Amino acid sequence: MNTLTNRQISRRTLFSGAAFGTLGLTLAACGSSNSADGGTQAGGTVTVLTHDSFNVPEELIAAFQSSTGLTLELVAAGDAGELVNKLVLTKDAPLGDAVFGIDNTFASRALNEGVIDTGITVTLPPGVEVEQYVVADTPALVPIDFGEVCLNTDVTWFTEHGLAEPTTFEDLTKPEYKGLSVLINPSTSSTGLAFLIATIGHFGEGAWQQYWKDLVAGGAKIDEGWSDAYYTDFSGGGEGGAYPIVVSYASSPAATVSEDGTSSSTAAVPATATRQVEYAAVLAGAANPEGGKAFIEWMLSVEVQESIPDNMYMYPVNTEAELSEEISTFGTLSRNPVAVDPADIDANREAWLAAWTEAVGA
């Protein structure tokens, strides 16, 4: 097992919702109150709500606290959908100062519900191409990283069984791929929702529902979340699963690289990819909005941006950040990911989920 796989499995244990999400994590400040630019900040605590997979190296967190005088308190709050739901339910008494992990499938809802302080903006570094990521023409949601949700295959399994790997959405419904796929419930997972949206964008209204009916009729399994799908049921995920096709990320093959670094035992399917962008923002009614802003500026720094691929398996938005060799070689992005307008997602999300539930008989 390679080091990236070990690190990824450690993330699953460390940032499980049961432990990290309930207790939170408070990291003590490290003495100095001088800011990174030589000024001085008042210090105090900045509380940040994150998705469960937030992971920045401790030495970078310590440096942030030392340079700002702030104590960083991280509270995991589920995946993107659950995170936004919590923000909406608590918007009159916000649980923190800032948030990280709202993705483009829920961005419009967060803005429409008024949980984001749209009066606070962050100056983006030159390496961020703003026009690619802006939501609803407001800079209040600050892009931090992005990834591509897509099908992944167990290359070793397909080689051993003498079967060609699937290359399209349509391949999954062919007889030779019957019973080989594990998918994810879009009602309980932002990864699952992103893949559902990809099928909607690819097949169009009136056709995507039949695609999902065909998948289920062909023996596809639907898990509640990405961890169960990838680690437990996917045959290439390290725990002896039975399904050689899974919904995951374009970066996932970087976690299954051989010891000599020359190959990966899994592969992404670019034709099924859709872009997922993760944002940070200061929360409306925050007790420490300046601390929240400082956290977001730190997340955009080259040092943190370069840590993201190997720790959260997403890609940095700051083009000045260098990618690891594993991500560069085995985490290739799609040239033409399936795109659906965020406004359409916001307007139709609930109706699509209801139609999906009916189509799969859930």
Side-chain angles (χ1 to χ4, degrees), residues 118-134:
T118 56
I120 295 181
T121 58
V122 172
T123 301
L124 298 177
V128 180
E129 299 172 358
V130 183
E131 63 278 1
Q132 290 190 43
Y133 309 110
V134 67

Side-chain angles (χ1 to χ4, degrees), residues 272-287:
T272 65
T274 188
R275 186 67 54 89
Q276 185 180 39
V277 182
E278 294 184 329
Y279 297 89
V282 174
L283 295 175

Side-chain angles (χ1 to χ4, degrees), residues 55-313:
N55 188 14
V56 172
E58 291 185 12
E59 61 269 22
L60 293 181
I61 292 176
F64 166 75
Q65 295 184 126
S66 179
S67 67
T68 62
L70 291 163
T71 298
L72 180 59
E73 181 177 314
L74 301 169
V75 181
D79 73 4
E82 186 179 357
L83 175 60
V84 172
N85 285 338
K86 288 181 179 178
L87 294 177
V88 172
L89 290 172
T90 61
K91 64 181 179 181
D92 293 330
L95 300 174
D97 304 302
V99 59
F100 165 74
I102 297 174
D103 75 354
N104 52 299
T105 63
F106 286 96
S108 295
R109 184 182 180 214
L111 289 169
N112 293 339
E113 291 285 352
V115 303
I116 302 303
D117 188 337
T118 56
I120 295 181
T121 58
V122 172
T123 301
L124 298 177
V128 180
E129 299 172 358
V130 183
E131 63 278 1
Q132 290 190 43
Y133 309 110
V134 67
V135 176
D137 297 322
T138 176
L141 278 174
V142 182
I144 302 297
D145 59 40
F146 70 95
E148 287 184 353
V149 172
C150 62
L151 293 172
N152 274 220
T153 60
D154 180 350
V155 175
T156 302
W157 188 96
F158 280 98
T159 299
E160 291 175 348
H161 287 77
L163 181 63
E165 297 167 51
T167 58
T168 66
F169 287 104
E170 289 82 0
D171 281 346
L172 267 59
T173 59
K174 294 178 179 178
E176 57 265 41
Y177 299 101
K178 183 176 182 179
L180 300 184
S181 303
V182 55
L183 311 176
I184 305 172
N185 187 335
S187 298
T188 55
S189 167
S190 58
T191 308
L193 178 59
F195 185 73
L196 169 62
I197 290 170
T199 65
I200 293 170
H202 178 75
F203 290 100
E205 284 292 349
W208 67 265
Q209 295 93 331
Q210 185 59 51
Y211 176 70
W212 279 91
K213 290 178 182 178
D214 293 342
L215 287 173
V216 173
K221 182 179 182 181
I222 299 174
D223 280 340
E224 293 302 292
W226 175 84
S227 291
D228 285 340
Y230 192 89
Y231 287 115
T232 302
D233 287 323
F234 179 44
S235 60
E239 296 185 10
Y243 297 83
I245 304 170
V246 68
V247 172
S248 193
Y249 288 84
S251 58
S252 296
T256 56
V257 178
S258 61
E259 291 290 346
D260 62 6
T262 62
S263 63
S264 177
S265 60
T266 64
V269 183
T272 65
T274 188
R275 186 67 54 89
Q276 185 180 39
V277 182
E278 294 184 329
Y279 297 89
V282 174
L283 295 175
N288 188 356
E290 288 303 313
K293 182 177 178 179
F295 167 81
I296 295 171
E297 291 171 340
W298 172 68
M299 288 293 292
L300 289 167
S301 68
V302 171
E303 293 80 7
V304 174
Q305 289 279 294
E306 288 184 342
S307 78
I308 286 174
D310 289 343
N311 291 279
M312 290 191 279
Y313 293 88

